[in-house]
Amino acid sequence: MLSMSSLAHAQSLEIKANSIHELDLTHLNEQGVHEVHFGKLILNDKSVLLIPSIPSDQVVKIIVDELEVHGKAYIAQAFDKKLEYLFQSNANPFDHFNLLSTAQNVARGRDGSSSSEEVGANAGHGENGADGIAGKSTIKKLILDIHIKKIDKLVIALISQNGGNGGDGGNGGRGGPADAAAHGGNGGNGGNGGKGGLPGNTGSVELYWQSDYPMILTGELPVNIQILQAPGLVGRPGRGGNGGLGGDAWHGLWRMRGGDNGANGAIGESAKPNNEYFFFGSVGNVKVINKDNQ
Amino acid sequence: MINTYLKHIVLFSIYISCTSLWALDVNVDKKVNRVQFHFKNTGAVDYFCPKVTATGISYYDQGEYIYSLDASIQDRFIPAENQRTFVQEDSQELIDLFKDYPTMIPQFENSQINHNCEISSSRLNHIFVIDDRRECHGDFEVKSFDFDSGKLNLKNGVSFNNLIDKNAKIFNLSNIRDVLIYENGYMKMMSPRGEIVTVTPFTIGKEVFLSAAGVDNETIIAMTYSLEGIKFYLINYSSNVLTIVKDLQTEIAKLDFTSFVENPMNQDEMNVIVKKISEEIEKYMSVYLNKTDSYESIEFVFSFRAPIIRSIKPFFRGGEYSGTKAYVFSPYANSYLNLVKADVLFKGDLKVVNSKTLSIEQFQKMGFIPLNPLKRVVSFKEYKVSAGKNNLILQFKNERTEVSGFCNIVKIFSDKLTNTVKANVNDYYNGQTLLEMAVKSQDYEKALRLISEGAKVDYKSSISRSSPIDWALSLKDKEMMTLLVNNGARIGTSKYRDVGKMFELNFLNYDKLNQEEKRKPELFFSEYIRLYKNTSNLVLANDKIAVLIEMSQNYKVPRKYLEEVLREIQ
């Protein structure tokens, strides 16, 4: 269940259990930061306060004068339909990165034209696959300034998108056959695969918190708060297309050789200069400040 | 039936405040078998009692001593102009005893009330403020104030220039009024009036100073952290001198990730990240102290998050993705939360006697208090002092006052004691006293030390209902029996006051021993009779002597030996 509302002037909000509420980020403060101020925010079990998809160089600041979290709730940014699965189960994106949202896949390259009817003609090469689309990055920074009234379990999550897969190269066409007068045509080369899409990067988190009640801490962070930054994974590179078959040989009174097979296309290049094919997006820093201890 | 004794209830009361503004009575509840503590506070200030104990409530049945009971309550708040009654939890042992002795009555003649109650607000007695005045044409300074809870104000401010570094770690020590300061490789002790009492070098190298706790009035345990784990230091504090007595490196919170991932493709890269995060682990670590002390050991809980390593087997086929890649993630990133409880023995030795992992729920049920004090808030019960940038806010319930005159407050703290409950040498641990445990393990040195520290030789285990002398006699431990009797134990009230029973136990299998081995039971029994006579005027009638002599024939104990032993008690 997704509900929308303008929260620029909202004084209080309660998100029902098992529901997602998307922030309307229409208020930019003087520093160019999307700022939302809640007098009171109540998050019920399995509810999500969702940061919408906005350009990844932007900063969101959420101030809560009085926060109540009943059960396990989330303040998060993530993309598309996987969000609900990830948030409302115990899945950890690091163990299930293939379940993260993935950028749209691109088409494979077109196959080369075939010359199978035209005697001795060489075939067309397959097109290279398109490069994968980069996964969406989260916002640059999430700043939370919260005064805790009650908290069972809060997960603060920034979850990026995986890069899309590179398109596979097109297959080469088949060369034309030989005849008494001509050798067979060569098969077309397969197209190269496209690069995998770059993974989405995950922004940094700054948490400033205060509570009227004693909390169990690990250093500065209460045990019942978890900060999850899940970067995207790079897209898979496209496979090279197969080379086309050479034209058939002539077996008449004298023989004429067939065409050569086209070369297979190469796998898509690495999205990184160091030829690395498997990596995650970058992850921003985390800063936690207990305001009674700064 | 249990109630039949209650008409004989004896009340006693002791005024425990010289101002007579409040009083404390102890009696036994008429309906249930519980000791009651009645507080009456007629004054205008609140009191707080970390522990109140009524020792030596004795139960007699028709004049015969049956049982002694110590009752205690902990952490009670008695508001001004108020009366409160608290009851101790059920004593199953007492209930059981009433089944055997329904006419048993309690007597308080030898009872004492011990307490450490104090005026509640005095727990924030002095407030110290570290004020950075460099932006105000001043210097770095420390100020000390008396906290006036009545008027909710600070008074008698005294300044000390450059006394404490702004990065110093400051700890209130339970059981020790002075404050411990760690800065730049030195430990300092500061008195409640802001005087530095002693400065001691404390070189810890790459370790990080984590925390410290006072475990009795002259013993401090300090804790440091390195990648190797938590290290404990036992420190003696007496005559204003700090002496490091012993240290103990443990593997608590040791970070070792080498075995987590086998042959990762990016081992070097991973090691660099792990090391970087690990060196900062104190940012992710807190220390807690059990609110209730044990007499010889102290319980800490370390809560920490460690970096996470995930090994991932790339799934893409075709060669490029083969092998395992390892990724290191921030300690904040998931639920790898560790709560480790460590029971640290500090008397006689320094060692971790028990260590186990707790769940958050288990931890919450236990009474632990944080040992990492906040820098900007000091609170006790309903009083709270918090620091703004250049002012202090004093709060009590809905009242609030502000104290200005500061420039840039770096840190505030008080000399309030950590709110622990001091253990007594006669406390029970799993139903046994420490002395009983020492007797059972035949640890003479420890038994003697405990007795010298006030352990009672006639305390009975709440489980076995056996006293230390009962155990010494049942173990036929001559040295322990002598030690206990010399310190007030009486064989005449022990389970082995029947000489025949003791004789039987002692000389069982006597005939199977060789000549040399026979000396041990002979010497034990001679000593038993001698001590018994000296402490209880033991006299045996002729008919009982005759029974013993008859038994000696059965057990083949030399008649001559027995007659000689018994001569003095005939």
Side-chain angles (χ1 to χ4, degrees), chain B residues 297-329:
Chain B
S297 63
I298 186 164
E299 270 182 2
F300 297 105
V301 169
F302 300 94
S303 67
F304 61 97
R305 301 177 197 233
I308 314 141
I309 291 193
R310 286 274 185 272
S311 60
I312 297 168
K313 285 201 182 293
F315 53 84
F316 182 58
R317 291 163 187 83
E320 289 82 357
Y321 283 17
S322 61
T324 300
K325 290 209 80 168
Y327 286 86
V328 184
F329 297 104

Side-chain angles (χ1 to χ4, degrees), chain B residues 254-323:
Chain B
K254 180 179 180 181
L255 296 181
D256 177 13
F257 294 100
T258 51
S259 58
F260 279 33
V261 183
E262 287 178 15
N263 305 318
M265 286 159 64
N266 53 344
Q267 177 80 60
D268 294 342
E269 178 192 334
M270 189 185 81
N271 287 346
V272 170
I273 301 172
V274 167
K275 190 163 184 301
K276 184 171 176 289
I277 293 178
S278 306
E279 283 170 351
E280 294 180 330
I281 198 165
E282 62 154 334
K283 284 186 187 172
Y284 318 108
M285 181 176 281
S286 295
V287 186
Y288 291 83
L289 171 69
N290 193 337
K291 207 170 182 179
T292 306
D293 293 345
S294 298
Y295 186 70
E296 301 193 303
S297 63
I298 186 164
E299 270 182 2
F300 297 105
V301 169
F302 300 94
S303 67
F304 61 97
R305 301 177 197 233
I308 314 141
I309 291 193
R310 286 274 185 272
S311 60
I312 297 168
K313 285 201 182 293
F315 53 84
F316 182 58
R317 291 163 187 83
E320 289 82 357
Y321 283 17
S322 61

Side-chain angles (χ1 to χ4, degrees), chain B residues 367-426:
Chain B
F368 284 91
I369 49 178
L371 279 185
N372 302 78
L374 296 173
K375 295 174 185 170
R376 305 191 70 79
V377 174
V378 179
S379 59
F380 179 74
K381 297 295 169 185
E382 292 178 271
Y383 290 94
K384 182 175 175 183
V385 180
S386 48
K389 185 176 185 303
N390 55 12
N391 64 347
L392 285 180
I393 298 141
L394 316 181
Q395 287 170 276
F396 176 69
K397 295 181 180 172
N398 294 326
E399 289 179 52
R400 173 190 165 107
T401 57
E402 290 190 18
V403 179
S404 56
F406 303 98
C407 181
N408 183 10
I409 298 175
V410 176
K411 190 182 288 189
I412 63 171
F413 59 98
S414 86
D415 60 347
K416 80 182 175 81
L417 296 181
T418 310
N419 192 18
T420 59
V421 179
K422 188 77 195 85
N424 188 285
V425 67
N426 290 306

Side-chain angles (χ1 to χ4, degrees), chain B residues 186 191 227 250 396 446 496 513:
Chain B
Y186 288 90
S191 79
L227 289 180
T250 73
F396 176 69
K446 185 171 178 181
Y496 296 92
L513 302 176

